[in-house]
Each structure stands twice: as C-alpha cells, then as structure tokens.
Amino acid sequence: MEKTNQEKIEKNKDSWSLFLDTLTKIGCQYEFSKDGNEVGFTYEDNFDNNEKKEFIANFDYNEEEDYDRIWIGYLHDIYVNKNNEKEFSAFRDAINLASSLCDVSTYYILNKTTGEVGAVSKTVLHYISHIPNFELFLKVVFQDCFIAQKIVEDEMEKFWKESEL
C-alpha cells in the first residue's frame, strides 16, 4: 500500500526537519498546506529590493531506494500574453537564458483562466543532511531564483523597449 506523504515525512523526518529548522534560522516564516504535503514560506529578497518573496516546498521520500528530496518552487513576478507571438517568443528566450546562466531551472507556466504565461524557478535538493553549511547553501539557492527572475525581467524590458521603437 502506498504511504501518504505525511507518513513518508515521519519515516525520514531528519531532512525535512533540517529544512524547516534552517528556514527558521534564516528568517523565513512558513506555513503548512491544509493536507500537510507542502509548506509555503517567505524569504526576503536581498538581491534587488528587499521584498519578501513567496516560495513553496514539497518533501518526497522513496522508501525502496532510501532517497529523499525537497522540491522548491518560486513564481516570478512577470507575465506575458501567450497570444502575442513575438512577446511570448522573447519570453521563452529570456527563460532559456536564465536557465542556462543559473543553477535553478526556470520554465514557463500557463494560467488557463487569464491566458497569461508566467515564469517559475525551481530546484530539487537531495540528501540535504550531507550538505555542509546548509544555511548558506539554501540562501544561495534562493538568491539564484532572484537572479533568474532579474535576467528574465531585464530581457523582457529590452524586448519591450525595442518593440516601442
């Protein structure tokens, strides 16, 4: 029988506890989702404008392989209309550039209701209990998300300025 994510967390809570404890140490406020499978948290963006940015994390543990991972996602603050071919093409190029220059993966997602396309950066952490100075490592991961957002924003600003000419 498949275990629930909550049971998986209990079975291998060292990594998840280390992650949550580290969030607290670096000043993040977090809250569990209603089903307990995810945690949402804020982290202050020291890269650009010191705003608090929202992230989401999910824990997964594969018992057969004794393998744990934490998925962290960050939704960027930039959107384009998928029906504008030139803008959408520039957006894809900006996302590809961010993905090539940053350690986090950046991709686009479609909001089917609004027709807008947004950018998401994500990373997957494995065996976090083996990462020396996990606090610093986590800060670097978050900063990389902000850098990816800045790359996408800067590239889109260039596109929009060139489009006005």
Side-chain angles (χ1 to χ4, degrees), residues 1-8 11 63:
M1 185 172 146
E2 177 74 18
K3 291 188 177 199
T4 66
N5 207 37
Q6 204 58 31
E7 290 172 316
K8 292 176 185 178
K11 175 84 173 137
E63 193 168 359

Side-chain angles (χ1 to χ4, degrees), residues 118-135:
V120 173
S121 289
K122 70 128 181 142
T123 192
V124 178
L125 307 179
H126 305 278
Y127 303 109
I128 67 169
S129 61
H130 300 288
I131 298 171
N133 198 347
F134 184 62
E135 184 177 327

